[in-house]
Amino acid sequence: MAAPTTPQPAPQPTPQPSLDDLVAAVSQVLLGKQRSVRLALSCLLAGGHLLLEDLPGTGKTTLAEALARCFGLAFRRVSFTSDLLPADLTGINVLDPSSGSFRFQPGPLFSQVLLADEINRASPRTQSALLEAMATGRVSVDGTSHDLPRPFMVIATQNGLDQVGTAPLPESQLDRFLMRLSLGFPEREAERALLSGGALPLEAMASARTPADLLALQQRCRQQHSADSLLDYVLDLMGASRAVERPGAPLSPRASQALLAAARAWALLEGRPFVTPADVQAVFTAVAEHRLDPLGTGERSATLLGQVDAIR
Amino acid sequence: MTPAQVLPPRRLQWLAQAVLTLGCLGVDPGWLLGIFTLVLVLMAALKLLEARDRAGRRLVALLQLVGCGLLAAQQPDLLPSLLQLLAAVLSLAGLLQLESGLSVGWRLLLRRSLRVMAAALPLALVLFLLVPRIGPFGAGAGWPSGGAATGLSETLDPGSIATLVDNAAPAARVAFSSNRPPPPAQRYWRVLVHSRFDGSRWLRDGDAERAPSGPPPGLIPPPTAAADSDQVWLVEPSRFTAVPWSGTASPLDPSLRPQPTGELRLLRPALERRSYRLLEQPGPPGWQMRPPRIVDLVLPLDRNPRLLALGRSWGSLPDPLARVQAAERWFRSQGFRYSRTPGNLPEPNGLDAFLFERREGFCGHYASAFSALMRAAGIPSRVVSGYRGGAWVVPMSGASYLELRQSDAHAWSEIWLPGRGWLGVDPSAWLAGGAPASAAAGEAAVGPVLGPLRWLQRQWWGLDMAWSRWWLGFDQTRQEALLTWLLGGRRGLLGWLILAGVALTLGLTLPLLRSRTAAVDRPGRDLAVLLRLLRGMGIEPAAGETLEQLSERAARRHPALQEPLAELVRCHAERRFGAGMDPAAARRARQRWQYSLQLLIRRRREALRLTPDPDRDHP
């Protein structure tokens, strides 16, 4: 638990190890995407799942793998295609010829970071099997349930919906993703650095952190202090999203939990033991936009932020 | 709290000023203290007009509160006291609004203000009960310019009054501790004593209305058995220093002096409503046994020959009492009638014309003629004017009282008999037509038709009476009794007792105030101050903007402010959103905030000083 700070004499708030190196490490691999990297890391620290939505070749896979590597997590990648079956993800019971009994052969879900590439190309049936595993943290095969490893994070990528052969995720399943990010094209300078070989290859990424460290950080994240006035701010945002005359879907209680969790993680990355409205605002678009308007252009969350007084 | 309830910054102080000014209407500018008060209130208004900053408005509040106190010292009656209370509450609310920094609704401000007043009440009570009284302010200073009226006059000259008009204006009210009025026969309230007679007019003593002489009455021992005979008088403004009384009571107020003639005189005329307390004493009062002077027998021999002859015919009777009885018989046998329109009496022998030709007149005629007859018969006599009767009023709440109106004004005679002293004789009672109408008027007014205004007035006066009895009645004597009861003979302990009382009440009420203020949202108030400051620089919060963004924007516009702004933002976040601080940490955080805010203001001032004249640095 973060000790209450004694603001005398210097106002440096936290005596906790800085997490800046984490951001720096991932940013070395993914150039010029500091903000997206921070958001993705917040998502990881908050224990949520991440949906990356962008064109091919913008660095989605790189980000996912870098996230896995900086905590030394087991990483698997599955390309979702239209003929992918749920069992291909969860694994199946196979007959062991030596013992004559069935043995569970775990599928790619049994990893710590699963990159679900192009999730919207798979059939809804497969999608829902994945999302069920994401929600409950376990899979059931032939009546036996198997716990997924911890930490467990799904990073799904999704191509633009205008592309051929895609099945859009229903809103209820979008809700299971803590955040939706879109990386976008890099800045000119960042791309120049990329071309001139300034980016660190993934294989060269080394980290002293272990999966246990991640679990500890996630625990600390949950203990970040959120004052009453901050909760009021979150609730005001929720209330504004649920106003009758507003277009788009209202935000659910799950969304408010997700928002607070993400804001806590963001504050932790900032090195602060408590959450401020600025943290909430920083993560708000990533957390709320895909719930407010799955197909839209990303302006509803900004409108919503403008409706609620953040100076308090 | 909706913004609709929030008042503009100086509205409350203006309201307080208005009420204060209203309270000033009754201030007597003849007193030094009155002038001082008026000047102070005027200064407060002018300062309020020009005050833009916090220090100025604080000064206004201070002036207003001091003004309230000064007014309270001069006008202790119920209505002025209520006005002063309202002014103080409003002024305090204005001050609280100033100090709270946030836009707080006026209801809350008024509630807080009342709370502060309530917290001050025990302390005020201790001071009120224990701190020794000083005499009335400004006693004996200045003289009236006139203008007030009563139904009585300096000179009693019934012959010059052709028509008596009923004047129903209130003159005085008196409440009795027994809550029972005296029997009607005893309701003679003497005010003026006319001893000098010039043949047609009865005049007061030459030195009347000069400052009354005589030692102040000694302190009466605290009433024990006599507590029942306590009277509280409220008299309307009058240009006389003489005030009504029963003649047998003794005053408890050092500014009231009974005179040798039997008048009760204030040190100076009451230009506004006065109240005083009298204590009914057993035994004859000093003035009653005082032997007559020459002036009580003087009768001009060249006027009213028939009257002189009649009086002298009774003078042969040896017993003075027999002469009075002879006069009574004579009056009863002559068929005198009461009349409000007797017409002017001819000069110089007006009383002869009244007694032997017209035989009709009002109380003044009878008292005047009877007193003159008695002097002719060799009995010292004089005329007393005052009030008679009065209506007993029982309001719904407050104290019951006897109401005297100007129409109750009356005149009667007083004669001196050896061994019995001065005795009142009312020749108007001997009329053939029964009781004189002037005295009956008061009783009749209580009759069935009582206008709603009159009714309201009586209810209010009832409250007023009660206030005077219980609040103003706590004077030196009562305080003395209380102190004696508390301390016995050890009066040296009074200082310690006051100190202990003050410490106790402060100890009880201050933590109350403190705990209330601790509950106030300090970070929120401080934030409001910062936002106002930024607004003053033209930086308004945009929709949905966080404090961080706002301060970054401000720092971009005024780079010198970046450092304190960043610190303020950090400090605010910690105080507002950080995990619970212990009080010491909260204080330190607030100190940091204050320090950074001061730094911000200083930097801002420096920046302002530099910008308007950029050439100065590079001449």
Side-chain angles (χ1 to χ4, degrees), chain B residues 232-553:
Chain B
V232 174
W233 283 85
L234 276 179
V235 287
E236 296 296 326
S238 143
R239 66 198 145 89
F240 301 117
T241 55
V243 291
W245 69 317
S246 61
T248 52
S250 52
L252 294 178
D253 187 331
S255 65
L256 280 171
R257 310 274 166 88
Q259 297 297 301
T261 52
E263 291 182 356
L264 181 65
R265 304 251 309 267
L266 286 164
L267 287 176
R268 50 193 307 275
L271 289 186
E272 57 202 60
R273 188 139 20 102
R274 266 300 294 255
S275 68
Y276 51 88
R277 207 156 67 89
L278 302 178
L279 198 63
E280 201 67 43
Q281 293 290 318
W287 61 265
Q288 195 176 5
M289 300 313 291
R290 210 180 156 88
R293 300 163 298 167
I294 295 294
V295 73
D296 295 324
L297 274 170
V298 168
L299 192 62
L301 295 177
D302 54 342
R303 302 175 68 176
N304 299 314
R306 297 176 71 186
L307 180 147
L308 285 174
L310 180 63
R312 282 177 182 149
S313 72
W314 297 331
S316 57
L317 294 169
D319 180 12
L321 191 58
R323 299 176 207 169
V324 179
Q325 284 162 347
E328 180 183 350
R329 274 194 303 278
W330 184 81
F331 265 97
R332 287 190 185 278
S333 66
Q334 295 295 315
F336 282 101
R337 279 177 299 114
Y338 187 86
S339 166
R340 287 167 175 272
T341 54
N344 283 329
L345 293 177
E347 288 294 329
N349 302 324
L351 285 181
D352 273 1
F354 163 68
L355 281 177
F356 303 104
E357 291 156 22
R358 301 206 181 156
R359 291 198 177 90
E360 60 176 22
F362 49 86
C363 59
H365 293 90
Y366 294 99
S368 174
F370 177 73
S371 297
L373 278 169
M374 284 299 107
R375 285 190 180 188
I379 296 179
S381 65
R382 58 197 184 192
V383 174
V384 178
S385 55
Y387 300 94
R388 186 188 142 180
W392 184 245
V393 177
V394 183
M396 291 203 305
S397 59
S400 307
Y401 60 91
L402 192 69
E403 181 184 293
L404 299 178
R405 297 187 170 268
Q406 298 297 1
S407 54
D408 294 329
H410 190 57
W412 61 95
S413 300
E414 227 167 34
I415 55 170
W416 194 85
L417 298 180
R420 298 182 62 181
W422 288 102
L423 293 176
V425 178
D426 189 357
S428 319
W430 301 332
L431 302 187
S438 79
E443 308 278 357
V446 203
V449 261
L450 201 59
L453 273 178
R454 188 79 183 277
W455 182 86
L456 268 182
Q457 193 184 32
R458 289 194 157 171
Q459 304 307 318
W460 168 257
W461 280 349
L463 288 177
D464 204 5
M465 250 359 268
W467 166 264
S468 301
R469 259 173 77 173
W470 301 117
W471 179 247
L472 304 180
F474 187 82
D475 50 19
Q476 269 175 335
T477 351
R478 295 228 170 143
Q479 189 182 34
E480 199 70 16
L482 177 74
L483 289 180
T484 312
W485 178 75
L486 275 178
L487 293 172
R490 302 181 299 277
R491 297 307 291 270
L493 294 179
L494 178 60
W496 292 112
L497 183 67
I498 294 175
L499 275 185
V502 167
L504 184 70
T505 46
L506 283 184
L508 283 177
T509 51
L510 276 189
L512 193 77
L513 280 183
R514 263 189 102 80
S515 69
R516 303 281 194 196
T517 43
V520 169
D521 169 23
R522 271 183 182 274
R525 277 166 39 181
D526 290 345
L527 178 65
V529 172
L530 176 63
L531 288 183
R532 212 167 43 212
L533 214 65
L534 290 177
R535 214 166 271 150
M537 302 179 198
I539 298 161
E540 289 276 344
E545 201 174 32
T546 60
L547 189 59
E548 286 86 344
Q549 291 160 343
L550 180 70
S551 71
E552 276 162 24
R553 205 147 53 79

Side-chain angles (χ1 to χ4, degrees), chain B residues 35 48 64 76 89 94 106 128 137 142 260 283 291 295 306 402 477 539 560 574 581:
Chain B
I35 294 178
L48 184 55
Q64 286 178 343
V89 167
W106 58 271
F128 175 75
F137 282 97
V295 73
R306 297 176 71 186
L402 192 69
T477 351
I539 298 161
E574 247 168 61
M581 293 181 180

Side-chain angles (χ1 to χ4, degrees), chain A residues 21 53 105 108 124 182 222 287 291 295 308:
Chain A
D21 63 313
E53 186 178 280
Q105 176 69 47
S182 123
R222 279 191 286 276
V287 173
R291 302 172 208 257
L295 305 175
V308 179

Side-chain angles (χ1 to χ4, degrees), chain A residues 7-8 225 277 281 305-306 311-312, chain B residues 543-545 572 577-578 588 592:
Chain A
Q8 179 90 4
H225 180 74
Q281 289 204 350
L305 282 181
I311 298 182
R312 47 182 80 211
Chain B
E545 201 174 32
H572 175 72
F577 301 110
R588 278 196 302 273
R592 254 174 54 212

Side-chain angles (χ1 to χ4, degrees), chain A residues 26 92 96 103 118 161 187 204 245 287 293:
Chain A
V26 182
I92 47 169
D96 187 0
R103 184 172 55 80
E118 307 197 17
L161 293 175
E187 306 249 317
E245 67 274 16
V287 173
D293 186 15

